[in-house]
């Protein structure tokens, strides 16, 4: 196979950080080369060098044997390099079609050919097997569909080399399957793909080669058949990872929360369940099945039309998140960057955000010493890796940002913690640490409602699992109901409306 990309001894330094330390990396035509490593290992920096976003300090970059030193992303695009970054870059007020062809709109004379623009965009999106209205504003789409638009945008550029940074982090199982079909088609056409993911099952399903980065250095690189998940994880974190799901199961305590026939028009239909202290109740289902909408109703972000919520035996109607907070119910939302954190503020400010509503004042003024002590306590308790609590949150890795989002919720000492996608977009080491935090909280008597698209996570951490489909709770499974592989099949069958094999 023809060598598409050859990176040799690439270095990149930022103030106080040596992000890439002599990285050599290659990619061939029709090959999928998986790039894995913890957050902060250097993966995204390497991709930014390839995409012309960052200029390396040292080293050589060759594309099809020709030295390349690009002045910006435009140079990389003209060389056939497409990048799908982890952070979405859509213009929210433009339509899906306009986002896909932004700056490259088909024209009829001096005017944009709107019909061709929409037809071309619709053809691209249809390749994913999903129904997305290309005339709709991109900002109005759910995160999973926005991710597909980003992917379509890159594919519209007729790339010969495509780098994908966590492309399935917001996708449902069905959308992920569609993406995998697109990946297979691209490989068959000779496109070389660099694929970054924290999901081991994806890596081993797709990769021809695997390279592992750790602390800006190449920890190992070989054909995929020479690796297994344990070896990859060991290279990533520099130690053996005995288990990602360190759950110690105990008999839960008294019922704290109960939903009875909760309904919201066109969104939720007759949801009934109970949650006990010390219990982790997992909610599985496809994107759009009603999981997040349930959480929003519970904490007062959305209202409900029927049914009721009972907290400690007393009916409860949350009018806003403040009502839920006073009842001891806190939500850590799925999108930490847009909904869970103030990225430009410090760790200290973020951790104390909700706690300030309960006090932490000295007379009329905020008790700054108490706020700092609170933040330092949770940074230590949750193992947030940072220089100090005065570091801005945007400077942290994804895993550490997620820990700060969880700390923000824990700071108000909740009785029920609602975690929506608690480990989305974090590396395997941080994932295990967050799971340990959840285990410790449940052991201390906290009730946890966990919404996750990561089925092994749901099965590994939950006392019981509710399965949602089209706004309904269609099944409930306890952890005692069979082997994980068999239970996984039953959960997925319930979520998709399929039939599990006997």
């Amino acid at each position: 196979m023809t060598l598409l990309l050859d990176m040799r001894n690439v270095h990149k330094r930022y103030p106080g950080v040596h992000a890439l330390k002599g990285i050599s990396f290659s990619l061939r035509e029709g090959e999928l080369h998986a790039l894995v490593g913890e957050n902060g290992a250097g993966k995204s920096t390497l991709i930014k060098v390839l995409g012309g976003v960052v200029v390396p300090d040292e080293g050589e970059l060759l594309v099809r044997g020709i030295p390349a030193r690009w002045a910006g992303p435009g140079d990389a695009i003209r060389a056939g390099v497409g990048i799908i970054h982890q952070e979405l870059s859509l213009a929210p007020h433009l339509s899906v079609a306009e986002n896909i062809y932004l700056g490259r709109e088909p024209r009829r004379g001096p005017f944009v050919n709107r019909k061709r623009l929409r037809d071309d965009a619709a053809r691209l999106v249809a390749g994913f097997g999903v129904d997305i209205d290309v005339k709709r504003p991109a900002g109005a789409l759910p995160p999973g569909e926005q991710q597909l638009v980003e992917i379509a945008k890159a594919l519209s550029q007729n790339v010969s080399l495509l780098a994908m940074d966590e492309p399935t982090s917001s996708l449902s199982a069905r959308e992920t399957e569609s993406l995998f079909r697109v990946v297979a088609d691209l490989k068959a056409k000779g496109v070389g793909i660099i694929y970054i993911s924290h999901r081991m099952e994806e890596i081993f399903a797709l990769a021809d080669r695997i390279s592992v980065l750790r602390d800006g250095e190449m920890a190992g690189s070989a054909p995929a058949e020479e690796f297994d998940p344990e070896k990859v994880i060991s290279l990533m974190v520099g130690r053996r990872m005995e288990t990602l799901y360190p759950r110690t199961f105990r008999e839960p305590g008294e019922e704290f929360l109960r939903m009875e026939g909760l309904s919201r028009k066109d969104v939720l239909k007759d949801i009934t369940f109970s949650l006990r202290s010390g219990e982790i109740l997992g909610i599985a289902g496809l994107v759009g099945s009603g999981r997040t909408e349930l959480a929003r109703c519970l904490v007062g972000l959305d209202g409900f039309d029927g049914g009721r919520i009972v907290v400690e035996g007393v009916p409860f109607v949350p009018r806003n998140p403040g009502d839920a907070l006073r009842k001891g119910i806190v939500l850590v939302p799925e999108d930490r960057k847009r909904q869970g954190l103030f990225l430009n503020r410090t760790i200290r400010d973020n951790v104390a955000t909700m706690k300030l509503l309960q006090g932490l004042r000295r007379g009329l003024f905020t008790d700054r010493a108490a706020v700092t002590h609170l933040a330092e306590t949770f940074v230590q308790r949750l193992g947030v890796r940072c220089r100090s609590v005065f570091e801005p949150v945007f400077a942290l890795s994804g895993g550490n940002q997620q820990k700060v989002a969880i700390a923000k919720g824990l700071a108000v000492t909740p009785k029920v913690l609602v975690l929506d996608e608690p480990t989305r977009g974090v590396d395997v080491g941080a994932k295990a640490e967050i799971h340990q935090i959840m285990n410790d909280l449940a052991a201390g008597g906290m009730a946890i409602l966990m919404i996750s698209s990561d089925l092994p996570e749901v099965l590994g951490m939950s006392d019981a699992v509710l399965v949602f489909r089209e706004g309904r709770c269609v099944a409930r499974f306890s952890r005692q109901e069979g082997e994980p592989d068999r239970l996984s099949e039953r959960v997925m069958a319930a979520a998709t409306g399929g039939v599990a094999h006997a």
Side-chain angles (χ1 to χ4, degrees):
M1 290 188 289
T2 302
L3 191 63
L4 282 177
L5 171 69
D6 191 10
M7 302 180 81
R8 301 175 181 174
N9 195 36
V10 172
H11 288 260
K12 181 60 187 178
R13 299 173 182 84
Y14 298 103
V17 179
H18 196 165
L20 297 177
K21 306 171 184 175
I23 295 295
S24 294
F25 180 89
S26 64
L27 179 70
R28 301 180 181 93
E29 278 187 352
E31 176 185 51
L32 190 142
H33 193 154
L35 186 63
V36 298
E38 293 191 272
N39 288 109
K43 307 184 303 295
S44 294
T45 302
L46 187 150
I47 294 303
K48 288 175 181 176
V49 168
L50 175 61
V53 177
V54 166
V55 178
D57 300 318
E58 300 174 41
E60 191 175 16
L61 177 66
L62 294 91
V63 176
R64 294 188 181 276
I66 301 172
R69 193 169 181 86
W70 296 315
D75 290 345
I77 291 171
R78 284 186 285 276
V81 176
I83 307 290
I84 302 169
H85 295 286
Q86 186 175 2
E87 304 302 328
L88 300 180
S89 60
L90 299 177
H93 301 298
L94 296 182
S95 71
V96 168
E98 289 167 333
N99 268 280
I100 291 174
Y101 288 101
L102 187 61
R104 300 173 291 111
E105 299 88 348
R107 294 190 172 271
R108 181 183 293 146
F111 304 104
V112 173
N113 186 336
R114 295 284 173 185
K115 183 178 186 307
R116 184 179 162 197
L117 174 72
R118 290 192 290 267
D119 289 347
D120 288 352
R123 201 160 29 247
L124 264 177
V125 171
F128 294 110
V130 294
D131 183 19
I132 298 176
D133 182 358
V134 297
K135 299 189 293 293
R136 192 178 180 192
L141 301 178
E145 292 184 1
Q146 288 188 21
Q147 184 71 60
L148 293 178
V149 174
E150 283 280 13
I151 295 167
K153 182 178 175 180
L155 297 182
S156 72
Q157 297 163 1
N158 297 317
V159 296
S160 60
L161 190 162
L162 181 63
M164 312 174 84
D165 193 352
E166 297 289 351
T168 64
S169 62
S170 299
L171 303 187
S172 68
R174 188 171 296 166
E175 290 165 341
T176 297
E177 289 178 6
S178 298
L179 174 63
F180 288 177
R181 287 194 294 271
V182 172
V183 165
D185 289 343
L186 291 171
K187 287 180 61 180
K189 294 173 183 174
V191 176
I193 299 171
I194 300 172
Y195 193 92
I196 297 175
S197 178
H198 294 309
R199 297 179 176 178
M200 289 294 120
E201 66 274 17
E202 291 183 10
I203 297 298
F204 285 93
L206 298 174
D208 300 299
R209 277 196 293 165
I210 299 173
S211 288
V212 183
L213 293 185
R214 185 173 73 242
D215 298 329
E217 298 181 283
M218 187 63 72
S221 183
E225 58 267 23
E226 296 183 18
F227 283 103
D228 58 34
E230 185 176 355
K231 182 176 179 181
V232 170
I233 292 170
S234 178
L235 288 170
M236 284 172 61
V237 301
R239 62 188 187 278
R240 293 179 63 84
M241 186 66 67
E242 296 300 331
T243 177
L244 285 175
Y245 311 108
R247 185 72 206 280
T248 304
F249 290 98
R250 303 172 179 83
E251 185 64 28
E254 297 295 317
E255 178 184 276
F256 180 82
L257 167 73
R258 185 168 74 254
M259 278 194 180
E260 298 176 349
L262 195 85
S263 298
R264 176 176 168 83
K265 188 176 178 178
D266 300 326
V267 176
L268 296 170
K269 302 164 190 173
D270 195 27
I271 305 298
T272 298
F273 69 87
S274 66
L275 179 63
R276 296 182 289 172
S277 62
E279 179 181 32
I280 298 180
L281 181 62
I283 300 184
L286 304 181
V287 172
S289 61
R291 303 170 307 164
T292 294
E293 290 76 8
L294 172 78
R296 290 179 61 87
C297 287
L298 178 59
V299 300
L301 286 167
D302 293 332
F304 50 91
D305 309 311
R308 67 175 188 162
I309 300 172
V310 179
V311 177
E312 295 184 294
V314 179
F316 170 55
V317 180
R319 294 162 300 176
N320 54 57
D323 285 349
L325 179 61
R326 284 184 284 276
K327 281 288 188 179
I329 304 171
V330 169
L331 168 66
V332 179
E334 63 176 324
D335 190 336
R336 59 180 174 265
K337 292 184 183 295
R338 291 196 296 178
Q339 301 169 336
L341 296 169
F342 300 102
L343 294 179
N344 290 322
R345 303 297 293 270
T346 65
I347 297 169
R348 170 187 177 274
D349 291 345
N350 273 275
V351 171
T353 298
M354 289 194 291
K355 185 65 176 176
L356 287 170
L357 299 174
Q358 297 181 333
L360 284 182
R361 295 188 177 277
R362 184 178 293 162
L364 297 175
F365 303 99
T366 300
D367 188 338
R368 295 184 177 276
V371 170
T372 300
H373 177 71
L374 176 77
E376 289 175 341
T377 298
F378 277 100
V379 161
Q380 182 175 9
R381 179 179 170 188
L382 302 190
V384 179
R385 295 180 182 87
C386 60
R387 291 190 294 269
S388 81
V389 295
F390 298 100
E391 187 172 358
V393 168
F394 71 76
L396 303 179
S397 68
N400 286 302
Q401 287 181 357
Q402 186 68 6
K403 290 179 188 177
V404 172
I406 293 171
K408 176 182 167 186
L410 294 180
V412 296
T413 318
K415 296 178 181 178
V416 173
L417 186 65
V418 183
L419 297 172
D420 195 351
E421 302 290 0
T423 62
R424 171 176 286 169
V426 307
D427 63 67
V428 67
K431 182 176 286 191
E433 291 169 353
I434 291 170
H435 289 159
Q436 186 61 58
I437 290 166
M438 293 169 59
N439 183 64
D440 294 344
L441 292 171
M446 188 176 293
I448 297 176
L449 190 66
M450 177 182 67
I451 299 166
S452 178
S453 300
D454 185 339
L455 192 50
E457 176 175 73
V458 171
L459 298 179
M461 293 300 297
S462 303
D463 293 276
V465 179
L466 305 178
V467 186
F468 276 43
R469 186 176 75 243
E470 297 176 354
R472 295 183 182 275
C473 181
V474 295
R476 184 187 189 281
F477 300 100
S478 72
R479 62 182 177 83
Q480 297 97 343
E481 290 188 43
E483 295 297 319
D485 288 347
R486 175 72 180 119
L487 189 54
S488 174
E489 185 179 349
R490 293 174 67 192
V491 169
M492 187 52 65
T496 60
V499 178
H501 298 292

